[in-house]
């Protein structure tokens, strides 16, 4: 209930901040934006997977889910480093 509205609000405010701050020409912002896009794709994949689990239609292995579980964490670390450190 809260994840989709929070994601949409994050996109709107993030794009506004990027535009108003003139960050679209900076390299760190491009990396961050890519990581946010991948996080959104990951979110959609997980939402679809929840629906498959609900109908007992999961065809993926435990190993797959262990790996997929780490994707949001890695992306979040990349996003935070890009925003705080701004390495380029």
């Amino acid at each position: 209930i809260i994840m989709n509205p929070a994601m949409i609000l994050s996109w709107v405010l993030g794009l506004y901040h990027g535009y108003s701050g003139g960050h679209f020409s900076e390299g760190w912002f491009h990396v961050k934006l890519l990581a946010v896009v991948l996080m959104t794709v990951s979110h959609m994949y997980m939402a679809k997977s929840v629906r498959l689990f609900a109908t007992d239609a999961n065809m993926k292995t435990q190993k797959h889910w262990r790996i997929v579980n780490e994707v949001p964490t890695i992306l979040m670390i990349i996003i935070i480093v890009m925003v705080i450190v701004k390495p380029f």
Side-chain angles (χ1 to χ4, degrees):
I1 292 173
I2 196 169
M3 286 181 65
N4 284 331
M7 181 179 62
I8 292 166
L9 184 62
S10 294
W11 266 103
V12 169
L13 293 176
L15 289 173
Y16 172 75
H17 177 69
Y19 176 74
S20 66
H23 300 301
F24 278 100
S25 62
E26 300 176 29
W28 67 267
F29 190 78
H30 293 174
V31 174
K32 177 195 168 220
L33 189 59
L34 175 63
V36 171
V37 168
L38 292 174
M39 182 75 82
T40 302
V41 170
S42 171
H43 169 78
M44 289 188 266
Y45 177 72
M46 298 283 192
K48 178 184 174 192
S49 299
V50 166
R51 289 190 298 274
L52 290 175
F53 270 102
T55 61
D56 202 25
N58 174 45
M59 302 300 283
K60 306 290 184 185
T61 65
Q62 288 181 2
K63 183 177 180 180
H64 169 80
W65 293 114
R66 278 190 231 121
I67 293 169
V68 168
N69 185 52
E70 302 306 322
V71 170
T73 303
I74 293 167
L75 290 171
M76 188 58 65
I77 290 169
I78 292 169
I79 291 166
I80 290 170
V81 166
M82 289 299 117
V83 171
I84 302 296
V85 178
K86 297 178 183 164
F88 43 86

